[in-house]
Amino acid sequence: MKLLFSTILIIGLSAFSSCSEKTTPITETQPTENTDEQTTEPVLNQITLTGSFRSVAGVMNELSCYCSNGGYVTAEDRVVTAVCFDEEVASCEKITVTGYMTSRSIESNGPCPGGIMGFLKAQSYIVGETDY
């Protein structure tokens, strides 16, 4: 089961990264304060996705091993993306989430086997319809 889920996740992430989803890159050079110099800092590509959300907070699910306030966003094209929030978010029919893709590695700790999982780390979200 874990192998199947990991394979589906990898395929989904590969397909997601090649899609033309709404992505907004952050400016790559950030000015430093009180100087005329600019420094190039590593930046993260923000991703925005919209779909239905199924929370797995408080449920024994593989994602629960990697974050406590997570769930899955299913887009209109049926691509499912694991998402982790800083706060608990209830399941809903429509959510727009902006964040960045990352992964976390854990060691076996009882109910959770060791492994690595990729997910969207939410920076902001809107539940319901949006104007854009």
Side-chain angles (χ1 to χ4, degrees):
M1 179 72 178
K2 183 179 178 186
L3 179 60
L4 175 63
F5 182 81
S6 298
T7 303
I8 291 170
L9 180 63
I10 290 170
I11 292 169
L13 289 176
S14 298
F16 183 75
S17 65
S18 65
C19 290
S20 60
E21 291 289 321
K22 294 186 251 179
T23 59
T24 307
I26 299 173
T27 305
E28 291 194 20
T29 55
Q30 311 269 332
T32 56
E33 291 185 26
N34 300 328
T35 66
D36 292 332
E37 296 178 24
Q38 288 199 353
T39 181
T40 302
E41 299 174 4
V43 294
L44 303 170
N45 285 329
Q46 286 187 318
I47 298 169
T48 299
L49 58 98
T50 299
S52 63
F53 177 68
R54 180 178 55 91
S55 173
V56 295
V59 176
M60 192 58 227
N61 179 280
E62 184 179 15
L63 181 58
S64 301
C65 294
Y66 296 89
C67 65
S68 56
N69 297 309
Y72 299 93
V73 173
T74 303
E76 282 186 13
D77 60 2
R78 297 288 166 214
V79 173
V80 178
T81 304
V83 181
C84 291
F85 295 92
D86 289 332
E87 60 194 30
E88 189 170 338
V89 177
S91 296
C92 56
E93 287 298 314
K94 182 126 186 192
I95 192 167
T96 300
V97 183
T98 300
Y100 58 92
M101 292 303 295
T102 189
S103 62
R104 183 172 176 207
S105 176
I106 62 169
E107 293 188 21
S108 180
N109 61 7
C112 296
I116 187 167
M117 184 174 196
F119 53 87
L120 182 78
K121 175 63 177 152
Q123 295 173 300
S124 65
Y125 66 97
I126 299 170
V127 174
E129 296 295 321
T130 60
D131 291 337
Y132 60 93

